[in-house]
Amino acid sequence: MENMGLSRRNSCPKVHSSLCSEMTMMLDRVSSILPSIEAARPGCRAGIQELCNLYNIVEKGKLITQHCIECSKLYLAITGEAILSRCERVRDSLKRSLFLIQNMVPIVLANQIAEVHNDLREVKFVIDPLEEEAGKAILEMLRQSDATEELELQTFVEAASKLNLTSPKAILIERRAIKKLLNKISGTDPKKEQVLKFFLYLVKKYGKNIKPDTGDRTEKLQYENQSSPSLSLASDGSTAGKCYTPTYFQGYEYQSSMSGETTPPTELCCPISTKLMHDPVIITSGQTYEREYIEKWFSEGYDTCPRTQTKLKNFTMIPNTCMRDLVYNWCKEHGFTISDFLPGKDAYSYSPEQLHGHSMSSLHNVSVPLIAGNARNFVIDNSSTTFSDASYVSDSSHVKEMEDPKNRFSRFSWSADYQKYLSFQNFNQGMFLTFFCELSKLPLEIQGISIKDLKNILDDDNEVSYAMVSNGFVEAFLDFLRNDSGSYSMQAQQSGLHFFLAFLSNSRTKRIPSMNEEAFHLITSFLNSELKTEALLVLHELILHLNRRQCRQMASVVTPPIVAILASEDIEGLELPLKIICDLSSDADVKSHLISLGIISKLVPILTEGSFVECCLKILRNLCDVEEAMVLITRTDRCLGSIADHLETGSPKERELAVIILLSICSRSVEDCSHVMKEGVIPALVDSSVNGTDEAKSCSLKLLNLLRDMRQSDQCSNSCSQEVAVADAVEDRPESPVRKQQISKSSGFFQRKLNIFSKPRSVTLF
């Protein structure tokens, strides 16, 4: 026990005692050799840096333990997974730093470090089952949109029993811990603050309902606190004469969370990380490593091979395709995918700086709709509590989210051309075609990773997309789609379409000169295949990268088959075709072409069905600039009626589009105004003029005034006709006082009708 150097602490963790016990023993084991490492004075800059890393990692581990000693039990329970993840990251970071530093110290000390590293292999962090159940019960309540008092009481009592909150003293300590956390994070994390306020509300309201329960739980805690260490300990003398070789660490069994007891063979694991390789590369010493870790090694200033310590002439890395195939076959044989073994975003960290990532009790992945939707105001009285500084519970703004560095290590490792130039800027059309061919043969998991890599490259470098277009990327893609040799399957071409679509979606270039009529025909040919969706997506994205001439060429080719798709009964498959037509219909020449294809009659059933209304109305609005289109809208059965219906019941945007279309139609002729009036649009127009969008209000008022003038003009015309008829009848009769009186009355009536034109306009029109 003396060699362990275990520090005795006066306090025990409130929750996660087993995690903290493992953490404490692990940190003490590492701390026991830190003085020896420091005394050895690693000569290189990297050695000193790794020594500093070790000290920092140990301190972060101590903060985790201290956090579990002083934090709220309820809060610790719901953040158990986050704390477990942090413990594992500390362990993995220690293992890595020890591995790196053992090559910089004398052999005797290197063997001691190897022994400690071997001990760390045995460290397993496990959450206490009772505490895990308590956390799940609380989280289940927080995920409810609403909770009754009965559910709150039941959940709190259950959690309190499992977390040993079974006495007035324990409740008082819990309240103080919650208040201390609230004061610490005040104003920096609204989500966490609301959760803590809810916990304080539960403790205050239901704390008196708990019953003492100090039996089995207390005994279990005492047993855990007295349990023996799980680390394999050895005295310094036990390692005397033992010479370390780099292959010593290859026996580490990587336990994937998805793989149960099955572990990859050591020869398939990276010697640095001891994890299954998914992007193996060979360096000039002939050794194979995972690209990520060997790049990290080189970036830290090392110029030697980690295993052989041979000084390297250069840092060239060549993809080890044979090893990659072995890894893939092993995964396939055991029912895994490579992604099952890829480290998650928070699975490990490489430096102490990265350990400053999430706070000790992160709520980033916790869903709490109960808190978000709760209208109750949990009033907190902090007047009786004093607070002290505690950095271990900090979620303050100076703490940054942990992010992995840019994924440089898995970018197209399967492409020899890319590995040679490390950039698409040096590619030519032939290289791009080879790239598409190789991509199509990869497993789907690797294809997905490659698409993500392309997105990252386009985001990082503003110029690469221009270089790709200039160097023949688009031409190579079209050659790949033509499949003149017939060697590519439909699935292979699908991968090419996905990759090209990722390029279009993330490219900074606004023009693609090589897209011509032949190219549009080629892509359109896939509309009759199982790759119809991919082809539509590519066509939709292409519109943003074409000039006006190219858009017209594209419209002449793609609109006939796309308009034909609109006649299908598959309503769900109409969104992309409608979006393409909508984008193309803004061009004057394309409008006439669409009208000739009968687009308006194709849109009426979709409008009547009530699907994709906004997109259909946008198309009609664009077409209203053409006289023929307005005639067809008024004469096509159910078209005008559907527009009027959506003016009354549609969304604000749909109502705006509807009133713009109706205004365009009514501005054309009095006859069209009559057609619109027959649809009973006046109430909807009045409502839109008051409650619609700004554009809808303006257009509604214009349309109302237009309809009013039309109606009044029509009434005036009818009155004038009646007066003429009366005058003719009077002229045929002999003069009499009666006749003069009638003419006088008719003249007054006619004068009143003419006065209509001098009345001011108002919203109350009819």
Side-chain angles (χ1 to χ4, degrees):
M1 298 295 290
E2 292 179 358
N3 290 331
M4 291 165 55
L6 289 172
S7 59
R8 304 300 180 185
R9 288 166 172 75
N10 296 325
S11 301
C12 295
K14 295 179 179 179
V15 181
H16 307 312
S17 58
S18 61
L19 290 178
C20 293
S21 176
E22 289 289 311
M23 175 65 72
T24 299
M25 289 183 288
M26 179 180 70
L27 296 179
D28 287 338
R29 185 73 174 100
V30 173
S31 298
S32 66
I33 62 169
L34 285 180
S36 300
I37 296 175
E38 187 171 359
R41 298 182 180 277
C44 61
R45 177 183 63 83
I48 297 174
Q49 180 182 349
E50 288 303 330
L51 179 60
C52 294
N53 286 351
L54 282 172
Y55 276 110
N56 289 331
I57 297 168
V58 169
E59 287 303 314
K60 295 303 293 186
K62 291 179 180 178
L63 289 180
I64 295 175
T65 303
Q66 189 69 11
H67 171 65
C68 293
I69 292 173
E70 300 192 23
C71 190
S72 157
K73 288 188 174 184
L74 294 173
Y75 195 73
L76 287 170
I78 68 170
T79 55
E81 291 295 333
I83 295 174
L84 174 65
S85 175
R86 281 137 186 79
C87 291
E88 291 175 342
R89 286 210 304 274
V90 168
R91 178 197 61 196
D92 293 342
S93 297
L94 287 173
K95 287 169 54 182
R96 176 192 173 277
S97 290
L98 289 173
F99 172 78
L100 294 176
I101 209 169
Q102 58 85 29
N103 289 313
M104 310 171 195
V105 297
I107 294 179
V108 175
L109 181 57
N111 287 327
Q112 295 178 20
I113 295 173
E115 189 68 26
V116 174
H117 186 281
N118 189 38
D119 292 341
L120 298 186
R121 291 169 48 195
E122 306 300 326
V123 174
K124 305 295 180 185
F125 295 104
V126 180
I127 300 176
D128 180 272
L130 287 178
E131 295 166 355
E132 186 175 18
E133 291 175 8
K136 288 181 178 179
I138 299 171
L139 288 174
E140 183 65 29
M141 179 176 65
L142 291 175
R143 293 189 182 104
Q144 304 294 324
S145 58
D146 193 13
T148 62
E149 291 190 359
E150 181 181 357
L151 176 61
E152 289 177 351
L153 175 60
Q154 178 183 352
T155 303
F156 177 74
V157 171
E158 177 186 353
S161 174
K162 293 176 179 177
L163 297 175
N164 207 27
L165 292 171
T166 54
S167 69
K169 180 179 179 181
I171 293 295
L172 177 61
I173 294 173
E174 179 67 10
R175 286 178 59 177
R176 290 176 177 174
I178 295 174
K179 289 179 179 180
K180 185 180 293 187
L181 272 174
L182 277 169
N183 183 70
K184 189 66 181 178
I185 66 164
S186 178
T188 62
D189 191 336
K191 181 179 181 181
K192 182 175 179 179
E193 189 171 357
Q194 283 295 98
V195 171
L196 290 171
K197 286 182 178 180
F198 182 66
F199 286 166
L200 190 55
Y201 155 80
L202 292 178
V203 172
K204 286 182 175 180
K205 185 171 183 179
Y206 303 113
K208 59 181 179 295
N209 295 92
I210 64 172
K211 298 178 181 180
D213 181 16
T214 58
D216 297 339
R217 176 65 177 166
T218 302
E219 293 178 2
K220 187 177 186 301
L221 288 174
Q222 291 176 349
Y223 173 78
E224 288 177 350
N225 291 333
Q226 296 173 1
S227 61
S228 59
S230 64
L231 290 174
S232 300
L233 304 176
S235 64
D236 293 344
S238 63
T239 60
K242 179 180 179 180
C243 182
Y244 166 77
T245 60
T247 57
Y248 175 82
F249 293 100
Q250 291 184 344
Y252 172 70
E253 295 182 350
Y254 169 63
Q255 294 288 348
S256 170
S257 60
M258 301 182 65
S259 61
E261 296 300 324
T262 304
T263 57
T266 55
E267 60 269 16
L268 302 183
C269 297
C270 173
I272 299 177
S273 69
T274 68
K275 292 179 171 61
L276 185 71
M277 291 184 284
H278 72 281
D279 187 17
V281 295
I282 303 174
I283 62 175
T284 54
S285 66
Q287 302 296 321
T288 297
Y289 299 92
E290 177 65 33
R291 181 184 294 274
E292 173 189 12
Y293 298 103
I294 192 61
E295 283 193 347
K296 181 71 174 177
W297 173 272
F298 292 150
S299 67
E300 291 176 349
Y302 300 107
D303 60 355
T304 59
C305 172
R307 295 181 67 177
T308 64
Q309 289 301 296
T310 304
K311 188 174 180 64
L312 303 175
K313 296 180 180 179
N314 57 66
F315 301 137
T316 302
M317 290 174 284
I318 302 173
N320 190 337
T321 55
C322 180
M323 178 65 74
R324 189 185 68 232
D325 291 341
L326 289 174
V327 171
Y328 174 73
N329 290 334
W330 182 89
C331 291
K332 185 176 181 180
E333 180 181 348
H334 291 82
F336 302 128
T337 61
I338 293 179
S339 59
D340 294 338
F341 293 90
L342 294 182
K345 182 177 181 180
D346 293 331
Y348 50 79
S349 62
Y350 299 120
S351 65
E353 291 77 5
Q354 288 178 310
L355 287 173
H356 291 277
H358 295 303
S359 65
M360 289 298 158
S361 50
S362 173
L363 283 177
H364 290 271
N365 297 322
V366 177
S367 175
V368 287
L370 175 63
I371 302 300
N374 205 318
R376 288 176 294 181
N377 181 25
F378 305 114
V379 179
I380 308 301
D381 179 15
N382 292 327
S383 59
S384 62
T385 308
T386 58
F387 304 97
S388 61
D389 184 21
S391 61
Y392 52 87
V393 294
S394 174
D395 259 353
S396 57
S397 58
H398 73 276
V399 178
K400 297 181 179 179
E401 280 291 319
M402 177 183 295
E403 294 181 354
D404 282 343
K406 293 292 183 182
N407 288 334
R408 300 170 300 161
F409 56 90
S410 62
R411 287 182 176 172
F412 317 122
S413 59
W414 41 268
S415 171
D417 289 330
Y418 190 88
Q419 293 305 310
K420 180 179 180 180
Y421 296 106
L422 297 178
S423 173
F424 284 129
Q425 296 191 12
N426 299 316
F427 269 43
N428 56 36
Q429 183 175 340
M431 292 179 183
F432 278 123
L433 181 58
T434 302
F435 184 93
F436 276 110
C437 298
E438 293 176 346
L439 174 69
S440 66
K441 299 175 183 178
L442 296 173
L444 293 179
E445 295 86 1
I446 304 299
Q447 290 181 13
I449 293 173
S450 299
I451 290 174
K452 291 179 181 178
D453 290 340
L454 175 65
K455 293 178 180 178
N456 290 333
I457 289 173
L458 295 175
D459 288 340
D460 294 342
D461 191 342
N462 295 335
E463 302 298 326
V464 68
S465 58
Y466 297 97
M468 292 175 71
V469 171
S470 301
N471 295 346
F473 173 76
V474 179
E475 291 84 348
F477 165 70
L478 296 174
D479 288 343
F480 177 74
L481 283 190
R482 287 189 189 94
N483 193 17
D484 294 332
S485 63
S487 56
Y488 309 131
S489 64
M490 193 66 71
Q491 184 177 358
Q493 292 178 312
Q494 183 182 38
S495 67
L497 286 166
H498 285 168
F499 196 81
F500 187 67
L501 181 62
F503 170 79
L504 292 177
S505 303
N506 297 272
S507 172
R508 306 292 178 90
T509 181
K510 298 299 182 183
R511 294 290 178 264
I512 303 180
S514 54
M515 294 303 301
N516 52 31
E517 189 171 343
E518 181 186 356
F520 298 132
H521 276 293
L522 177 61
I523 299 174
T524 304
S525 66
F526 287 90
L527 294 179
N528 296 321
S529 70
E530 59 189 69
L531 302 182
K532 170 184 172 182
T533 301
E534 286 80 1
L536 288 171
L537 286 169
V538 168
L539 291 172
H540 183 242
E541 286 291 338
L542 266 177
I543 297 175
L544 301 176
H545 301 271
L546 303 178
N547 57 35
R548 188 174 181 181
R549 179 185 60 81
Q550 288 175 311
C551 281
R552 292 174 180 174
Q553 284 184 339
M554 177 179 176
S556 65
V557 174
V558 306
T559 49
I562 289 182
V563 170
I565 292 175
L566 298 183
S568 67
E569 297 181 357
D570 181 17
I571 297 297
E572 295 182 358
L574 299 182
E575 183 175 8
L576 282 172
L578 285 171
K579 286 183 176 180
I580 294 172
I581 292 175
C582 184
D583 291 340
L584 292 173
S585 63
S586 59
D587 186 273
D589 293 337
V590 177
K591 292 176 184 179
S592 301
H593 183 59
L594 288 172
I595 294 170
S596 66
L597 292 173
I599 183 63
I600 294 177
S601 61
K602 298 291 194 305
L603 294 178
V604 172
I606 305 174
L607 273 174
T608 306
E609 181 74 21
S611 303
F612 314 114
V613 173
E614 183 175 333
C615 195
C616 291
L617 292 176
K618 284 182 179 179
I619 296 172
L620 292 177
R621 179 201 61 187
N622 292 340
L623 297 178
C624 278
D625 294 341
V626 181
E627 181 80 10
E628 184 182 356
M630 290 191 287
V631 173
L632 289 173
I633 291 174
T634 56
R635 295 181 180 179
T636 301
D637 187 32
R638 296 183 299 166
C639 185
L640 205 56
S642 297
I643 297 172
D645 290 340
H646 293 300
L647 173 64
E648 181 178 358
T649 62
S651 66
K653 184 62 178 179
E654 292 168 359
R655 297 180 69 185
E656 175 187 314
L657 292 168
V659 74
I660 292 174
I661 295 170
L662 294 177
L663 178 60
S664 299
I665 293 173
C666 290
S667 301
R668 177 173 169 268
S669 68
V670 175
E671 182 182 359
D672 291 332
C673 288
S674 300
H675 289 307
V676 172
M677 285 284 290
K678 291 178 182 179
E679 299 297 336
V681 298
I682 302 303
L685 287 174
V686 173
D687 181 68
S688 180
S689 68
V690 177
N691 301 316
T693 64
D694 291 341
E695 182 71 13
K697 289 178 181 179
S698 175
C699 292
S700 295
L701 286 173
K702 291 179 181 178
L703 184 53
L704 284 169
N705 290 330
L706 186 62
L707 294 176
R708 182 199 65 182
D709 291 346
M710 181 275 298
R711 184 166 182 173
Q712 291 179 348
S713 177
D714 185 55
Q715 290 175 348
C716 179
S717 176
N718 292 337
S719 298
C720 291
S721 298
Q722 292 174 3
E723 292 299 327
V724 171
V726 170
D728 292 341
V730 170
E731 287 177 359
D732 295 337
R733 298 179 183 179
E735 285 190 21
S736 67
V738 176
R739 178 187 174 194
K740 291 181 179 180
Q741 184 179 7
Q742 289 175 342
I743 293 174
S744 176
K745 289 182 179 180
S746 63
S747 298
F749 178 78
F750 186 67
Q751 183 65 36
R752 287 195 301 272
K753 291 298 182 181
L754 291 176
N755 288 339
I756 291 175
F757 294 98
S758 64
K759 292 181 181 179
R761 297 181 177 181
S762 64
V763 175
T764 307
L765 301 172
F766 306 102

